[in-house]
Amino acid sequence: MNMKASGKLQEILSKGEFAVTAECGPPRGANSEIVRKKGELLKGYVDAVNVTDNQTAIVRMSSIAACTHLLQMGLEPVMQMVTRDRNRIALQSDIMGAYSLGITNILCLSGDHQSFGSQPDALNVFDIDSMNLIRTVQTMREQGKDMSGFELKGPPAMFIGAAANPFADPFEYRVIRLAKKIDAGADFIQTQCIYNIDRFKEWIKMAREEGLTEKVHILGGVTPLKSAGMAKFMNNKVAGMDVPESLIKRIAGVPKEEAVKEGLKICQETIAQLREIKGVHGIHIMAIEWEEIVGEIVEEAGLLPRP
Amino acid sequence: MIVGEQKPISEIKEIIAPYKKILILGCGTCVKTCFAGGEDEVAVLASALRLACKKDGKEIEIEEFTVERQCEDEFIREGAPAISRNEGVLSLACGAGVQALARRFVKIPILPGVNTTFIGVLEKQGVFTEECSGCGDCMLAIFGGICPFTRCAKKLLNGPCGGSQNGKCEVNPETDCAWQLIIERLKILGQMDNLRAYVPPKNWQTGLSGGPRKLVREDHII
């Protein structure tokens, strides 16, 4: 079979071009206009848009639905899918449903724990983990079969993404985990927000040495900081985030009204460095609820026009 | 062992409110070890309830008794006379004990006085930790003797999530990251290769997903 999805993101990455993706968080409601507005802000500036799946365990419009709204606007979505809320039956069904709607990219995640969300009393599922989900999507594409081995009529052929966090512990295991995700079927990786570029370099060096950067497309995650408060919050309160003290000091050192500008400057410096690193094939801009800045970041970085 | 915790006295008062004559029945095995339902706890709870009811102006007769194990008929039998002469029984056993009593004494309400919490170990005096979820398909051999299904908040089988920092779990900074422990242990054992291998989806059929389980030991059935 060996069918592969043929989206723009895959095409750009397989040509060896530098990819740009961004993120769109669906609204806490059923208003599709909100999704379209976010889509408008991103259109033309990025190759694909990640649509989160009830991120931070807060109930929102489903990723599949929001992806579909973006598709209708001519944007290419990356459907994020977490294993927190659905068992393997629902996951596989939604993958097939999504593909039938024209969604060709998926990002396989475990998901934020429900205790961080608005409904901590919910039952979590975690029937399978993100590694198992990657393998499931790959088996559907490569063998045309579901998890039971049943031959599917029109198997979904998704371009498969996974996440990596070079800043979480234990550090020495992070590359082993990356290798496992690639073996399981990941075609591309989107990383956690990069602020500690030295640690990122160390991680990707280890990945290069294992030959992993030849097997997978790594997109470095960036999130522009808006204030010293935000930098501190991300460092102290967001699990798995590493904002070096020097960066916090730098943004705290400028007048308040200059902080946003300084944050964007830091973001540009990070992007410039990422483009120089062997094995980095693109960037993933996570401007949370600040989609209007994405175009400016991409333009400023000299990454326009998009292919 | 099965670890449990006595319900708050306010809840127990509500549960026993309809009755004037109750038996507090302790269990001398697991819940005794975790200070939730042994003979001593029965005595303390009985005194506290008598006092509380007196304060509320409620008349109640409370009898105390403890059997070795409430989950076995052989031991339950010892409590039969006391059970039969009361309007209700407040059991300080785990949920299995409560149900074993309810099965045996159908006409007497059997009420739970303990919240059964988990299968765990005594980490140190007064501290109990959950270690096993009774999944019916033990994989501790490959995980260095540390169970990720039970001890990882996301039941991850293939390594730590992105929220593991400084050896702690993102869900509760006081909880050790199970995966950090697994990795440390496998390093000591020289079995890090176990972590390179893909662990396929777990078969939950042997767990509670397959419905309530029953173990039949033909070789022991007379």
Side-chain angles (χ1 to χ4, degrees), chain B residues 60-145:
Chain B
I60 190 163
E61 220 179 286
I62 299 174
E63 191 179 346
E64 304 164 32
F65 197 73
T66 297
V67 297
E68 185 64 30
R69 273 206 285 284
Q70 284 189 29
C71 56
E72 275 184 55
D73 267 353
E74 195 186 326
F75 297 102
I76 291 174
R77 217 170 284 143
E78 292 167 21
I83 292 168
S84 307
R85 61 176 170 257
N86 279 283
E87 288 174 17
V89 176
L90 182 74
S91 163
L92 295 193
C94 70
V98 175
Q99 295 183 65
L101 286 179
R103 187 183 308 188
R104 182 59 55 199
F105 300 94
V106 287
K107 290 183 182 163
I108 300 170
I110 311 293
L111 314 159
V114 161
N115 289 323
T116 310
T117 42
F118 50 76
I119 304 176
V121 300
L122 176 68
E123 195 177 87
K124 59 182 182 195
Q125 180 67 17
V127 179
F128 304 87
T129 51
E130 182 167 21
E131 311 278 328
C132 175
S133 31
C135 73
D137 180 21
C138 189
M139 296 177 75
L140 284 171
I142 61 167
F143 296 126

Side-chain angles (χ1 to χ4, degrees), chain A residues 49-86:
Chain A
V49 178
N50 280 46
V51 180
T52 48
D53 180 7
N54 296 299
Q55 78 269 27
T56 62
I58 287 174
V59 176
R60 291 165 193 275
M61 179 190 290
S62 73
S63 180
I64 297 183
C67 281
T68 309
H69 296 312
L70 293 181
L71 263 178
Q72 286 165 353
M73 302 174 60
L75 276 155
E76 181 170 310
V78 176
M79 176 179 67
Q80 296 196 178
M81 186 175 260
V82 302
T83 61
R84 177 194 60 223
D85 308 320
R86 282 165 285 196

Side-chain angles (χ1 to χ4, degrees), chain A residues 126-151:
Chain A
F126 297 120
D127 174 16
I128 62 174
D129 67 9
S130 56
M131 201 74 71
N132 302 145
L133 181 60
I134 295 167
R135 176 62 60 89
T136 300
V137 189
Q138 193 215 32
T139 306
M140 283 178 157
R141 183 182 76 197
E142 304 293 331
Q143 297 171 28
K145 289 175 179 167
D146 69 11
M147 284 174 82
S148 73
F150 182 86
E151 211 152 299

Side-chain angles (χ1 to χ4, degrees), chain A residues 6-27:
Chain A
S6 53
K8 201 159 137 195
L9 179 63
Q10 186 195 4
E11 206 183 297
I12 288 168
L13 287 170
S14 41
K15 274 191 198 155
E17 287 177 53
F18 197 78
V20 179
T21 56
E23 203 162 277
C24 163

Side-chain angles (χ1 to χ4, degrees), chain A residues 88 110-113 115-116 124-133 135-136 147 165 167-170 172-174 176-177 179-180 183-184 192 210 235 238-242, chain B residues 143 152-172 177 179-181 183-184 187 192 194-204 209:
Chain A
R88 65 190 80 182
S110 307
D112 297 314
H113 195 267
S115 59
F116 294 111
N124 64 32
V125 180
F126 297 120
D127 174 16
I128 62 174
D129 67 9
S130 56
M131 201 74 71
N132 302 145
L133 181 60
R135 176 62 60 89
T136 300
M147 284 174 82
N165 185 358
F167 312 105
D169 292 322
E172 67 272 32
Y173 186 63
R174 291 293 149 188
I176 300 179
R177 187 155 160 84
K180 277 181 81 166
D183 280 347
Q192 177 64 284
E210 300 238 349
N235 194 45
V238 183
M241 197 76 83
D242 177 2
Chain B
F143 296 126
C152 166
K154 297 183 186 174
K155 298 186 204 133
L156 301 181
L157 316 184
N158 284 285
C161 77
S164 171
Q165 241 168 0
N166 305 318
K168 297 295 175 187
C169 173
E170 65 172 21
V171 174
N172 181 353
C177 166
W179 276 100
Q180 176 85 35
L181 299 178
I183 290 164
E184 281 169 10
K187 255 195 240 165
M192 277 294 278
N194 288 6
L195 296 184
R196 291 183 181 271
Y198 171 77
V199 180
K202 190 162 171 63
N203 175 1
W204 298 107
S209 272

Side-chain angles (χ1 to χ4, degrees), chain A residues 164 171-189 202-219 278-281, chain B residues 196:
Chain A
F171 184 60
E172 67 272 32
Y173 186 63
R174 291 293 149 188
V175 173
I176 300 179
R177 187 155 160 84
L178 174 67
K180 277 181 81 166
K181 287 192 173 180
I182 297 167
D183 280 347
D187 301 306
F188 70 95
I189 298 287
E202 204 183 321
W203 172 79
I204 205 154
K205 184 171 167 256
M206 285 161 74
R208 262 200 317 265
E209 283 165 2
E210 300 238 349
L212 301 178
T213 50
E214 302 295 314
K215 296 182 187 167
V216 78
H217 303 289
I218 295 174
L219 278 65
K278 208 175 149 227
V280 176
H281 296 176
Chain B
R196 291 183 181 271

